[in-house]
Amino acid sequence: MFKILKYSFFDLTRSSWSYVYFFFYLLLGSVLLFLNNDLSTAIITLMNVIIMIVPLIGTIFGVMYYYNSREFTQLLLAQPVRRSSIFLGQYFGVAISLSLSLILGLGIPFAAYGLFKSSAIWDFSMLLVTGLFLTLIFSALAFNIALSHENKIKGFGYAILLWLFLAVIYDGIFLLSLVYFQDYPLDKFSLAASMFNPIDLSRILILLKLDISALLSYTGAVFKQFFGTPVGTLASLGMLFLWVILPLFRLKRVVGKKDF
Amino acid sequence: MVSIQNLHKQFGALKVLNGLELDIMEKGIIAVLGPNGSGKTTLIKSLLGMVVPDKGEISIAGSNIRKRWNYRQEIDYLPQIANFPGNLKVQELITMIKDLRGKPAREKELIEYFRLQPFLDKKLNKLSGGTQQKVNLVLCFMFDSQLVILDEPTSGLDPVALLQLRNLLQEEKEKGKTILITSHIMNFVEEVADRIVFLLEGKIYFDGTVSEIKSSTGQPDFEHAIAKLLSEDHV
Ligand SMILES: Nc1ncnc2c1ncn2[C@@H]1O[C@H](COP(=O)(O)OP(=O)(O)O)[C@@H](O)[C@H]1O
Ligand SMILES: [Mg+2]
C-alpha cells in the first residue's frame, strides 16, 4: 500500500491544484489574522470557512482523483498488488496531500503571528484536528461514491449532493424540526442529530473549545453538559473517527467484489 | 498451467461466460478467438482476478486463484486497452512498474528491440497508438514470466511492428513459455498459434489446431473456416 500511496502523493504534489489549495489557506489565514484585531473573531470566521470548504474540497478532490487515475488503477490491478492496497493507497495519497495543504497553509500564518506561544494554540489545534478529520471523512465518502458510479458526471453530482446535504440541508431540517416540535423536550434528539453529522460535530467541538456555547441555540446548555466534558469530547472525536473508518470499510468491501 | 472449471460470469442480465471449461497444460501459443463481445477479455480478466467470476474455479500453476493476488507476480499481461496515466513519461512508467513488481526486468533489451529509445522522455499521452502499444509490450514482456497473456497485442501495430511482434512471440515460445493470445488479425493467428480455442455463447465451441479447424469445416482458408464455424448453427 505504501508504494501506491507514495506514487499517488507525488503525483498530487505535481498537480497545481494542491498548490492552489495551499495558497488559499495561506491567504485566508494571513488575511484573517493580520487584518483582524480580534483573535476570536478571526478563529470563528476561520471555523466557518473550514467547516464548509474543507469538506467541499475533500469531496471534489476525492472524486476527481478517483476518476482521473482510472488508467493508473487499471494498470495496477494487473500487478501483484492487493486490490484494497491500491485503493487505500490512493485514498491516503489524496487525504494526506490535502491535509498537508491545510496544515501548512494555516500553520505558517499562525506561526508568523506568534500564536504558538499564546494560549490560543489550543483553539487553533482544535481547528486543525477537525479540519483533518473532515478531510479524511469527505475524501473517503467521495471515493465511495466514485467507486459505485462508472459515470463521472453522476459520481460528481452525487458527491456534491452529499456535501450539500451534510453542510446545509441537514442543518435546515434540524432547525425546522426544532421549531416545529418546540413543545417537546428535544435535547436528546438534537444531541443525537448533531452526532450523526460530521460537520455539525466539528462545529460544536470548535465552539466549545472557544467557550462560546452561548452562541448556540437554546439547547446550548445541554450541549455544553455533554460535549464540554472530557467524555463528550472523546465521544465526539470517536464519532468523527467512525466517520472515517466506516466508509473505508465499505470501500474495502466494494473493491473486493468489483469487476474492472 | 491454467485450469478453468465451470466458469460463469454475467454482467447484469448479460450472460457472458456460461460454464466455460478450459485446460492449458502445454507450452506454446494458444489463441482465443470469438466474435466481438463473446467474452474473450472477460475470460482473460478472470484469469488475472480483475473480473470476479460468479461461479467456477480457476487454478494457475496448481493453485486456486480466488482472493489471491501474489500469483500475478508470475504472469506477464498485456491489457486490451493500453490506458496509461498520461502525465507520466515512458521511462517513469517503466521504473514504476519495475518498482511495484520488485524483481529484475529486461526492459533495455526490449526497448532496443522495439526502437523506443527516442520516446523514453516523452509523456505517454503524446505518443501515437502504435508506439503506446509497443510500450505496452515492453511493460508486459520485461519480467520474462512463464505464463504470458496478451489481449489483442496486434491492435494499432503497423506491418513492421507486427512482424517484430511475431518474431518476439516465436522467440518467447522457444524459451518454453505458455502464451495465451487474442487477436482479430486472422492470418497473424494462423501463423503463430499452435492451438485455437473458439469462444461462443459463453463456452468453448471449438478447440483444436489450425489444420483441424480447416479439415472439420472443409475450408482450406483459415478465415473462411472461422466464418464457416460461426455460421454453422448460428445463422
Ligand atoms: N465491467 C463490465 N460491465 C458490464 N458489461 C461488461 C463489462 N465488461 C464486459 N462487459 C460486456 O460483456 C461482453 C463481453 O465483453 P468482452 O469480454 O470484452 O468481449 P470480447 O473481448 O470477446 O470482445 C460485452 O457485451 C461487454 O459489453
Ligand atoms: Mg476484448
Side-chain angles (χ1 to χ4, degrees):
Chain A
M1 181 175 95
F2 291 102
K3 274 184 185 168
I4 314 279
L5 196 163
K6 185 183 76 186
Y7 284 116
S8 294
F9 181 79
F10 283 120
D11 188 25
L12 279 161
T13 55
R14 290 202 288 187
S15 139
S16 49
W17 284 107
S18 305
Y19 295 98
V20 170
Y21 190 48
F22 164 70
F23 281 113
F24 168 74
Y25 279 119
L26 196 65
L27 197 70
L28 186 78
S30 313
V31 166
L32 284 177
L33 281 176
F34 291 103
L35 301 182
N36 214 322
N37 297 324
D38 186 7
L39 192 61
S40 74
T41 329
I43 290 196
I44 290 185
T45 315
L46 210 52
M47 175 199 84
N48 284 323
V49 176
I50 283 186
I51 264 171
M52 286 293 174
I53 296 293
V54 168
L56 181 63
I57 301 283
T59 304
I60 293 179
F61 259 74
V63 177
M64 217 164 69
Y65 191 78
Y66 178 90
Y67 288 121
N68 284 347
S69 52
R70 273 199 282 199
E71 286 100 22
F72 182 43
T73 309
Q74 280 287 329
L75 201 65
L76 292 177
L77 282 163
Q79 302 300 323
V81 184
R82 221 184 239 109
R83 275 187 177 199
S84 53
S85 303
I86 297 175
F87 290 90
L88 289 177
Q90 291 183 347
Y91 162 74
F92 282 113
V94 173
I96 290 176
S97 96
L98 286 180
S99 304
L100 269 184
S101 296
L102 176 75
I103 293 175
L104 292 179
L106 289 182
I108 292 172
F110 271 70
Y113 191 77
L115 213 61
F116 288 141
K117 291 185 213 91
S118 82
S119 59
I121 173 78
W122 295 112
D123 305 342
F124 174 65
S125 348
M126 191 49 101
L127 265 184
L128 282 191
V129 168
T130 50
L132 288 184
F133 266 118
L134 289 175
T135 303
L136 291 173
I137 292 169
F138 279 85
S139 11
L141 292 174
F143 259 69
N144 269 283
I145 291 175
L147 193 66
S148 302
H149 296 276
E150 282 303 305
N151 183 332
K152 206 170 167 168
I153 312 277
K154 263 196 188 162
F156 247 107
Y158 286 124
I160 295 292
L161 270 182
L162 181 71
W163 170 79
L164 200 66
F165 177 75
L166 289 174
V168 184
I169 300 173
Y170 192 92
D171 278 356
I173 296 175
F174 180 54
L175 284 180
L176 273 182
S177 58
L178 282 188
V179 172
Y180 195 73
F181 296 106
Q182 52 181 303
D183 300 335
Y184 302 88
L186 283 170
D187 300 352
K188 293 246 166 57
F189 164 74
S190 37
L191 206 66
S194 32
M195 283 300 254
F196 286 109
N197 184 339
I199 295 185
D200 282 347
L201 212 49
S202 306
R203 184 183 291 127
I204 291 168
L205 276 172
I206 300 171
L207 285 177
L208 283 167
K209 199 82 216 146
L210 295 177
D211 206 21
I212 40 176
S213 44
L215 287 180
L216 290 166
S217 62
Y218 66 99
T219 47
V222 182
F223 274 78
K224 193 161 171 69
Q225 253 174 36
F226 176 69
F227 289 111
T229 61
V231 176
T233 310
L234 278 184
S236 326
L237 288 176
M239 200 64 191
L240 286 178
F241 191 66
L242 271 187
W243 267 99
V244 181
I245 293 296
L246 292 182
L248 290 185
F249 267 119
R250 180 183 178 272
L251 187 80
K252 199 165 177 293
R253 215 177 44 109
V254 173
V255 155
K257 290 189 202 149
K258 195 174 154 72
D259 298 317
F260 290 94
Chain B
M1 198 106 218
V2 177
S3 165
I4 302 171
Q5 279 146 35
N6 195 28
L7 194 66
H8 288 259
K9 180 68 193 177
Q10 79 186 70
F11 295 111
L14 180 71
K15 270 207 173 78
V16 178
L17 302 178
N18 193 8
L20 184 140
E21 309 261 343
L22 177 65
D23 279 307
I24 299 172
M25 292 305 155
E26 74 277 21
K27 303 180 188 322
I29 301 179
I30 298 99
V32 178
L33 301 184
N36 290 331
S38 57
K40 304 181 293 291
T41 298
T42 304
L43 170 63
I44 282 177
K45 285 187 169 179
S46 306
L47 290 176
L48 283 145
M50 298 169 77
V51 161
V52 185
D54 301 329
K55 217 165 104 184
E57 303 296 329
I58 302 176
S59 342
I60 292 181
S63 41
N64 199 311
I65 64 163
R66 193 181 330 154
K67 293 204 191 299
R68 284 178 48 234
W69 53 273
N70 39 5
Y71 74 94
R72 288 196 284 266
Q73 187 74 265
E74 309 303 326
I75 302 179
D76 286 351
Y77 165 61
L78 181 105
Q80 172 166 11
I81 305 162
N83 270 332
F84 291 129
N87 53 351
L88 282 183
K89 292 175 182 163
V90 175
Q91 183 63 60
E92 290 173 327
L93 181 65
I94 292 175
T95 310
M96 189 177 87
I97 297 294
K98 271 173 64 179
D99 178 36
L100 281 171
R101 286 260 187 150
K103 88 195 233 190
R106 49 161 182 163
E107 80 279 10
K108 295 219 167 59
E109 178 190 331
L110 290 161
I111 288 168
E112 181 90 17
Y113 184 78
F114 285 111
R115 307 243 178 286
L116 283 171
Q117 296 94 333
F119 302 101
L120 289 179
D121 278 328
K122 297 234 160 51
K123 292 247 166 107
L124 284 148
N125 54 11
K126 297 282 185 305
L127 303 181
S128 72
T131 312
Q132 284 198 10
Q133 186 70 345
K134 287 182 190 170
V135 173
N136 209 1
L137 284 164
V138 171
L139 287 175
C140 167
F141 279 104
M142 69 182 178
F143 295 109
D144 218 358
S145 304
Q146 278 305 304
L147 178 59
V148 183
I149 299 179
L150 308 167
D151 201 353
E152 308 276 353
T154 49
S155 71
L157 295 182
D158 59 34
V160 177
L162 214 53
L163 203 65
Q164 282 179 317
L165 175 64
R166 214 182 71 194
N167 293 337
L168 180 66
L169 284 180
Q170 220 61 47
E171 278 172 33
E172 298 303 304
K173 176 178 140 182
E174 271 152 31
K175 287 187 194 165
K177 295 185 178 183
T178 299
I179 304 172
L180 195 65
I181 177 175
T182 72
S183 174
H184 273 112
I185 302 186
M186 284 306 146
N187 60 36
F188 182 85
V189 171
E190 184 179 6
E191 279 170 13
V192 301
D194 300 308
R195 172 179 168 193
I196 308 280
V197 172
F198 198 89
L199 212 64
L200 199 65
E201 296 179 342
K203 289 200 173 79
I204 305 293
Y205 183 71
F206 181 91
D207 189 348
T209 62
V210 170
S211 51
E212 281 167 357
I213 286 202
K214 288 178 182 170
S215 60
S216 81
T217 53
Q219 296 285 339
D221 178 79
F222 183 60
E223 223 157 325
H224 284 108
I226 293 287
K228 182 89 185 292
L229 205 58
L230 267 176
S231 61
E232 268 171 6
D233 307 310
H234 309 271
V235 187

